[in-house]
């Protein structure tokens, strides 16, 4: 037994040397999304190899509520979020930092209603379905405001996004607050568009938020995602038909219908980021402040948030100096 000990020590020393020489693998940036046309360039970028899978891991959830829960619980490091959700996460102490503006909704968030509901005022007393999310509540609040009604004038029923069409077909709802591709799926079963985000321009904006501690510890992963996003938008512009075919498959739409859904979404390229995130008066800073005021006015948010603390433009300046 004693004769074997020198060999054992030698093996142990070699193992320690090997461990010391093997670099610790970098953590991947786990990015949460939901089915939404504006998120499809992320998946297209990974399919094309422009957003490296060794640095960025995309995770798709079925609903906004699942996505927010995952971010709060630390299951993901970043997410595609509306600015309403960013303000809420900040108030809850989760340190979200906006590093990129993905898109602005210009028609892709909607209220679909039964044909007999001919006007917004006719929603009084009707059953309106919505996902249980801050975005859903905000949209409903703006809808009843345009209708000259109050929230208590309608019967609100919360239900997950993926169950909306089935609930509609069972006759359980008179209208649904939702977004693409569910607007088109409800239209396929007889619903008509009664309101959409063209009526509230600049209010539904999707951004990429990253948890502050991940951003500080692994900035190179965030930079890789930004570079891939910009490269993907350029590729999409150069290959429009192929891009539509590739992106439409994931949402279960044919290319023409996906193009229609995406037409209600304004994707933000490298040039747009400059106006929204940089300068003495960044456009998104103003939008965040205005949205905070609206949410507090409608009692959807408590307390105030310093909008400038939510923006981190360092990744953008590194990628696009």
């Amino acid at each position: 037994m004693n004769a074997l000990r020198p060999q054992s020590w030698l093996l142990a020393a070699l193992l320690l040397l090997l461990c010391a020489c093997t670099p610790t693998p970098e953590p991947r940036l786990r990015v949460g999304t939901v089915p939404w046309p504006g998120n499809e360039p992320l998946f297209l970028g990974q399919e094309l190899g422009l957003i490296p899978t060794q640095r960025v891991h995309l995770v798709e959830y079925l609903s906004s509520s699942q996505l927010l829960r995952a971010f709060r619980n630390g299951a993901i490091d970043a997410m595609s979020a509306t600015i309403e959700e960013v303000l809420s996460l900040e108030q809850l102490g989760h340190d979200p930092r906006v590093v990129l503006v993905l898109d602005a909704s210009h028609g892709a968030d909607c209220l679909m209603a039964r044909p007999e509901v001919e006007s917004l005022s006719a929603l009084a007393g009707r059953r309106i379905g919505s996902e249980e999310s801050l975005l859903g509540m905000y949209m409903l609040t703006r809808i009843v405001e345009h209708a000259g009604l109050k929230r208590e004038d309608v019967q609100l029923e919360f239900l997950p996004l993926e169950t909306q069409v089935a609930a509609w077909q069972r006759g359980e709802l008179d209208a649904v607050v939702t977004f693409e591709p569910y607007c088109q799926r409800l239209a396929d079963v007889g619903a008509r568009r009664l309101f959409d985000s063209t009526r509230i321009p600049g209010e539904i904006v999707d951004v990429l938020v990253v948890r502050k501690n991940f951003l500080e510890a692994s900035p190179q992963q965030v930079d890789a995602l930004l570079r891939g996003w910009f490269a993907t938008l350029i590729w999409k512009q150069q290959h429009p038909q192929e891009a539509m075919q590739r992106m439409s498959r994931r949402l279960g739409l044919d290319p023409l219908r996906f193009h229609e859904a995406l037409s209600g979404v304004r994707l933000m390229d490298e040039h747009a980021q400059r106006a929204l995130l940089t300068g003495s008066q960044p456009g998104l800073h103003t939008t965040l402040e205005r949205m905070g005021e609206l949410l507090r006015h409608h009692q959807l948010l408590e307390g105030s948030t310093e909008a400038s603390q939510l923006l981190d433009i360092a990744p953008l300046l590194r990628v696009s100096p």
Side-chain angles (χ1 to χ4, degrees):
M1 293 292 290
N2 290 339
L4 295 177
R5 285 182 179 175
Q7 295 179 5
S8 300
W9 278 108
L10 180 59
L11 180 59
L14 288 172
L15 288 172
L16 285 171
L17 181 62
L18 180 62
C19 290
C21 295
T22 303
T24 303
E26 294 180 347
R28 288 198 296 173
L29 177 64
R30 300 168 298 175
V31 182
T33 71
V34 293
W36 164 250
N39 289 333
E40 286 310 304
L42 293 170
F43 292 92
L44 176 62
Q46 286 221 318
E47 185 179 334
L48 296 171
L50 299 174
I51 298 177
T53 56
Q54 66 270 28
R55 290 198 161 179
V56 179
H57 176 50
L58 300 177
V59 186
E60 189 172 53
Y61 294 88
L62 291 177
S63 67
S64 300
S65 55
Q66 289 181 0
L67 176 62
L68 284 164
R69 190 181 308 116
F71 189 88
R72 292 195 300 264
N73 293 343
I76 52 178
D77 314 297
M79 61 180 282
S80 167
T82 63
I83 53 177
E84 299 93 338
E85 293 165 341
V86 175
L87 290 166
S88 176
L89 287 169
E90 174 66 15
Q91 287 222 332
L92 292 172
H94 294 287
D95 287 333
R97 292 296 179 265
V98 176
V99 298
L100 183 72
V101 182
L102 298 171
D103 61 70
S105 176
H106 193 71
D109 289 82
C110 64
L111 173 77
M112 305 299 291
R114 295 198 177 275
E116 60 268 25
V117 183
E118 297 181 351
S119 66
L120 290 178
S121 60
L123 291 169
R126 300 280 186 169
R127 302 161 299 172
I128 301 181
S130 172
E131 182 187 16
E132 191 172 6
S133 67
L134 187 58
L135 174 60
M137 289 301 300
Y138 180 77
M139 275 288 291
L140 178 65
T141 298
R142 298 294 275 135
I143 288 165
V144 296
E145 189 175 68
H146 276 74
L149 303 172
K150 298 178 180 178
R151 273 187 282 171
E152 53 266 31
D153 292 331
V154 299
Q155 301 176 42
L156 177 60
E157 299 186 19
F158 291 121
L159 70 167
L161 287 168
E162 66 273 18
T163 67
Q164 290 177 347
V165 175
W168 175 274
Q169 290 177 305
R170 291 193 299 267
E172 297 172 2
L173 302 169
D174 300 303
V176 181
V177 176
T178 191
F179 51 80
E180 295 288 9
Y182 299 100
C183 302
Q184 288 199 21
R185 291 174 183 171
L186 285 161
D188 288 342
V189 292
R192 61 189 291 263
R193 186 179 295 247
L194 200 59
F195 183 95
D196 64 34
S197 49
T198 59
R199 304 275 294 273
I200 49 172
E203 294 186 23
I204 309 298
V205 178
D206 294 291
V207 298
L208 178 71
V209 295
V210 182
R211 204 182 306 276
K212 180 184 176 183
N213 58 7
F214 188 97
L215 185 58
E216 292 174 346
S218 304
Q220 62 276 13
Q221 270 74 325
V222 180
D223 294 357
L225 178 54
L226 265 62
R227 288 192 188 93
W229 173 263
F230 296 140
T232 301
L233 294 188
I234 292 172
W235 188 92
K236 172 184 170 295
Q237 188 174 21
Q238 294 171 342
H239 307 85
Q241 292 186 340
E242 186 177 353
M244 290 301 115
Q245 290 174 350
R246 286 174 179 258
M247 291 190 291
S248 64
R249 288 195 295 264
R250 275 187 22 83
L251 289 186
L253 300 173
D254 64 57
L256 179 60
R257 288 170 62 80
F258 177 79
H259 183 268
E260 292 173 0
L262 192 60
S263 67
V265 179
R266 293 177 176 171
L267 299 170
M268 300 299 174
D269 60 12
E270 195 169 350
H271 176 74
Q273 306 297 325
R274 289 284 178 177
L276 291 165
L277 294 176
T278 65
S280 58
Q281 290 292 329
L284 190 65
H285 181 279
T286 303
T287 302
L288 282 163
E289 288 189 330
R290 185 177 72 242
M291 181 58 64
E293 292 174 2
L294 279 169
L295 291 171
R296 286 188 291 274
H297 174 73
H298 292 294
Q299 300 179 343
L300 296 174
L301 193 70
E302 296 180 0
S304 60
T305 300
E306 178 52 55
S308 60
Q309 295 179 356
L310 294 171
L311 307 183
D312 192 327
I313 63 170
L316 176 63
L317 296 180
R318 287 194 298 267
V319 170
S320 178

